[in-house]
Amino acid sequence: MSVRLRLTLSYAGFLMLAGALLLAVVWVFLLRYVPDVPAAERGPALRLMGPTREDLLRAFAPRAAEMLVFLLVFGLLGGWILAGRMLAPLARITDATRMAADGSLSHRIQLEGPQDEFRELADAFDRMLARLEAHVAEQQRFAANASHELRTPLAITKTLLDVARNDLDRDTGKLVDRLHAVNARAIHLTEALLLLSRTDQRSFAREHVDLSLIAEEATETVLPLAEQRGVTIETSGDIAPAIGSHALLLQMTTNLLHNAIVHNLPDGGTVQVNTAVRPGSVVLTVENTGDRLTPQLVSTLTEPFQRGTERIHSDHAGVGLGLAIVNSIAQAHDGTLTLTPRAAGGLCVAVHLPATPPHTAT
């Protein structure tokens, strides 16, 4: 049976039960106290007192049966109409669910009326559809950008191989070096995409970590690049205990330092790394000198494959996923990433992560 039919039968059943209870009350508290004397045994005095229990039952029973039949019919009809009105919002939600299952995520229920359970369900479903639509659009945009980025090294490789096949006398040493560089970039891009997918799925083990130690380890990793580009790295801060993946947080910090070094002043640039403990959170801050950035440009830096002209032509341009990976890792650790342009030029990046509770810190 459908929900509407079950509700209708329930309404009619409760109405019949209420009618039966009402008749029982009449019997228990009224008719039982009326004398039950047969007509042949009544004297003149009893006849003057009025009808007996038998007279009342004879007059009341048919009317009571008719009333019960009326209550049954009224309960079925009224219950069917009432159940339909009550379930009308659920029908709209069902229609929206079917449309979403068919691939249409732009439809919204926008249920009006009081803030009851159906309204809360419809609003929650609308929010879910909005998030799904945004997520699907982001995934489609990411897939298109990833395909474009992966096509570039493959196209370059094909061109180099065509040149080598058509010009057999060409020096193969430079060709091999070029192919190696292009292949290394494709591998780096693929690994970055896999890392981004891994962090989005949050499929990693969590352990107790110290962001200050991770910052020192990442600094040692990028120190040769900093010396090559004439950038000074300054580290400071307090012990910052957190819970997360050491490998992912190290990758996040390394990406931040790499970006801070590459996108810096041509000579004499600096990078400042600091860790701090705030109420309920730990903060990793990376600041660098460099060109002045507009808030509009800074707001797009965490988008995958969003790069400026200077990044494309740089020897250490990366694959355009550095800050996107940082943002994904921060979100996977229930943290936030904040980018703020510095007034003097450069960028200030702050990662806020939940602090380790005192009773679990090691």
Side-chain angles (χ1 to χ4, degrees), residues 5-18:
L5 181 57
R6 290 201 298 268
L7 286 176
T8 300
L9 295 178
S10 299
Y11 295 152
F14 279 117
L15 194 59
M16 290 289 294
L17 179 61

Side-chain angles (χ1 to χ4, degrees), residues 345-358:
L347 188 67
C348 176
V349 182
V351 179
H352 297 255
L353 299 178
T356 303

Side-chain angles (χ1 to χ4, degrees), residues 85-284:
R85 292 177 59 88
M86 292 294 296
L87 296 177
L90 189 60
R92 293 181 56 181
I93 297 175
T94 303
D95 293 339
T97 304
R98 291 195 182 100
M99 296 179 66
D102 293 335
S104 176
L105 300 178
S106 60
H107 177 71
R108 298 293 181 270
I109 301 174
Q110 295 180 345
L111 188 65
E112 300 176 353
Q115 194 68 29
D116 54 9
E117 289 81 356
F118 286 118
R119 175 72 178 276
E120 292 178 0
L121 177 61
D123 292 344
F125 192 81
D126 284 344
R127 290 193 296 270
M128 182 191 69
L129 286 178
R131 293 186 60 181
L132 283 176
E133 185 180 19
H135 181 71
V136 169
E138 180 182 355
Q139 291 296 321
Q140 292 175 346
R141 184 173 63 253
F142 179 81
N145 291 333
S147 300
H148 175 75
E149 293 290 329
L150 285 171
R151 183 177 59 182
T152 300
L154 293 176
I156 295 175
T157 300
K158 181 179 181 300
T159 302
L160 293 175
L161 292 176
D162 289 341
V163 170
R165 183 176 58 183
N166 297 330
D167 187 4
L168 300 179
D169 297 331
R170 186 182 181 88
D171 183 13
T172 59
K174 294 182 179 179
L175 178 63
V176 171
D177 292 340
R178 181 61 176 162
L179 285 174
H180 183 272
V182 174
N183 185 67
R185 179 176 176 82
I187 292 175
H188 184 51
L189 174 58
T190 304
E191 291 177 347
L193 291 173
L194 291 175
L195 177 61
L196 194 59
S197 174
R198 178 189 172 193
T199 54
D200 288 340
Q201 296 176 0
R202 302 194 178 192
S203 56
F204 55 87
R206 299 176 183 268
E207 57 183 324
H208 293 275
V209 296
D210 184 357
L211 280 184
S212 62
L213 297 180
I214 292 178
E216 293 179 2
E217 186 176 352
T219 301
E220 294 178 359
T221 302
V222 300
L223 190 58
L225 176 62
E227 293 176 349
Q228 177 185 349
R229 301 180 68 91
V231 176
T232 303
I233 302 179
E234 302 175 357
T235 60
S236 62
D238 305 323
I239 297 176
I243 296 180
S245 169
H246 180 275
L248 290 179
L249 293 176
L250 178 61
Q251 180 71 47
M252 177 190 74
T253 309
T254 303
N255 283 5
L256 289 177
L257 292 176
H258 183 274
N259 283 351
I261 294 171
V262 172
H263 310 296
N264 213 310
L265 297 175
D267 188 24
T270 60
V271 175
Q272 296 181 346
V273 185
N274 180 69
T275 56
V277 179
R278 305 285 174 78
S281 66
V282 293
V283 184
L284 169 67

